Amino acid sequence: MQRHNKSVLVTGGTKGIGLGIANVFARHGAKVMLIGRTLADGDKAIAAIKQQTPEAMVEFAMGDVTQLTDMDRVAQTAVQHFGGIDVLCTNAGIFPSAKLEVMTETDWNTVIDVNLKGMFFAIKACMPYLKVSDAGRVVLTSSITGPITGFPGWAHYGTTKAGMLGFMRTAAIEFAPHGITINAVMPGNILTEGLQNMGQQYLDRMAASIPLRRLGSPEDIGNAALFFASEQAGYITGQTLIVDGGQILPESLDALTA
Ligand code: NAP
C-alpha cells in the first residue's frame, strides 16, 4: 500500500477498532484526528500510536457523535490542524446487551442515537471538507451482526449495523458527483476493550466458532479501512468487506470439525 499524507478523522478513535484504524493510517504517513468523549483516553491513544510510529502526526479532539455541534467543532479542529479532511472513518459505536423482553425505550434510543445518528452527524459535519478533497473517502464500521447474523441481546445493535448499510447505498449515489466514495467494513469478533467486557467465556467460545480460530485484531479492520481509503479503491463505492476470519461460513458446528 502506498504511503499517503491524507488527513483522516476517526470517530471512536481512542480505543479498540478505532485505535487500530488510527494506528494503521498513522503508520502509512496519514495525519490522524482521533475523536472520543474522554480526554485521558485520547492522551493514552496518542501515546500508544507514537510508541509504534514515533513520527506519527496524531491529535485528539473531544466530541460526542450524538451532538452535531460537537461534530462540527471537531471537523473544524481537524481542518485547522491538518488543512482539510480527506478520509472520515465513522467508527464510534456501542453494543450494550438487552434481550427484547427487558429492552427499554431508553436502551433502544441510546443505541440508535450513537450508532446511527452519530454516523450521520459525523458525515454531515465532514461533508463540506470531503467535497473539496481530491479524493474524499468515507469508511463505515458496520458489523456482521445485523446485516448477516444475529445474537440474543443485540436486536437494537443489529438494527443499527444493518441500517448503516442502507444509509450507505443512497449516500454513495449522492456523494459520487463530488468524487467521494463510501464503503463499509463488516467486522466479525474483534478483540477490543468493548468486547473484553463480554467475559473470557464468551471470547473463548467465539474463537472456537471461527474457522481461523482466533478473534480479529483492531488492525485487521484498520487494514481494510486503509484499502477503502486508498487510490487503488477509487472505483469502489457503496460496497462492503467482511473481515471475520470466516466466522459466517460454517453451516453448523460439524462444519468446523468435519
Ligand atoms: P470500544 O472498544 O468500546 O471503543 C469504542 C470507541 O467509541 C471509544 O473510543 C469510545 O470512546 C467511542 N465512543 C463511544 N460512544 C461515543 C460517542 N457517543 N461519541 C464519541 N465517541 C464515542 O468499541 P469497539 O469494539 O472498538 O467497537 C468500535 C466499532 O466497531 C463500533 O461501531 C462497533 O459496533 C463496531 N464493531 C465491533 C466489533 C467487535 O468485535 N469489537 C465487531 C463488529 C463491529 P469514549 O467512550 O471515550 O467516547
Side-chain angles (χ1 to χ4, degrees), residues 95-220:
F95 34 94
S97 177
K99 288 194 182 164
L100 288 171
E101 280 190 318
V102 296
M103 188 184 291
T104 63
E105 186 178 354
T106 304
D107 293 335
W108 174 268
N109 286 341
T110 304
V111 172
I112 302 285
D113 262 16
V114 176
N115 295 5
L116 268 183
K117 193 168 79 177
M119 167 200 66
F120 167 53
F121 281 173
I123 290 174
K124 199 168 169 56
C126 293
M127 178 85 188
Y129 310 109
L130 293 167
K131 272 169 75 174
V132 296
S133 164
D134 290 344
R137 299 275 199 270
V138 179
V139 183
L140 312 177
T141 308
S142 173
S143 178
I144 58 169
T145 310
I148 296 179
T149 64
F151 198 94
W154 280 341
H156 49 0
Y157 174 75
T159 300
T160 64
K161 295 291 148 176
M164 291 172 83
L165 304 185
F167 173 98
M168 173 185 77
R169 294 187 179 106
T170 288
I173 300 170
E174 291 191 21
F175 287 173
H178 306 291
I180 302 170
T181 68
I182 176 169
N183 294 287
V185 183
M186 296 166 71
N189 276 259
I190 307 301
L191 195 51
T192 64
E193 292 88 337
L195 207 73
Q196 260 154 359
N197 295 337
M198 303 290 296
Q200 194 56 44
Q201 195 188 17
Y202 172 91
L203 299 177
D204 291 344
R205 289 170 69 89
M206 267 301 166
S209 72
I210 297 170
L212 287 178
R213 301 288 189 211
R214 68 168 176 89
L215 273 68
S217 73
E219 297 207 2
D220 288 326

Side-chain angles (χ1 to χ4, degrees), residues 6-14 18-19 21-23 25-26 30-36 42 45-46 49 56-63 70-91 126:
K6 303 281 183 193
S7 164
V8 182
L9 189 147
V10 186
T11 68
T14 58
L19 180 54
I21 293 172
N23 251 321
F25 275 102
K31 298 166 274 193
V32 185
M33 180 63 70
L34 312 173
I35 311 302
I46 289 176
I49 292 169
M57 285 169 288
V58 56
E59 301 281 344
F60 168 75
M62 201 185 305
D70 281 17
M71 290 302 98
D72 283 337
R73 181 177 40 74
V74 300
Q76 284 159 20
T77 306
V79 172
Q80 278 157 13
H81 275 88
F82 301 144
I85 299 172
D86 303 299
V87 181
L88 165 65
C89 297
T90 74
N91 164 82
C126 293

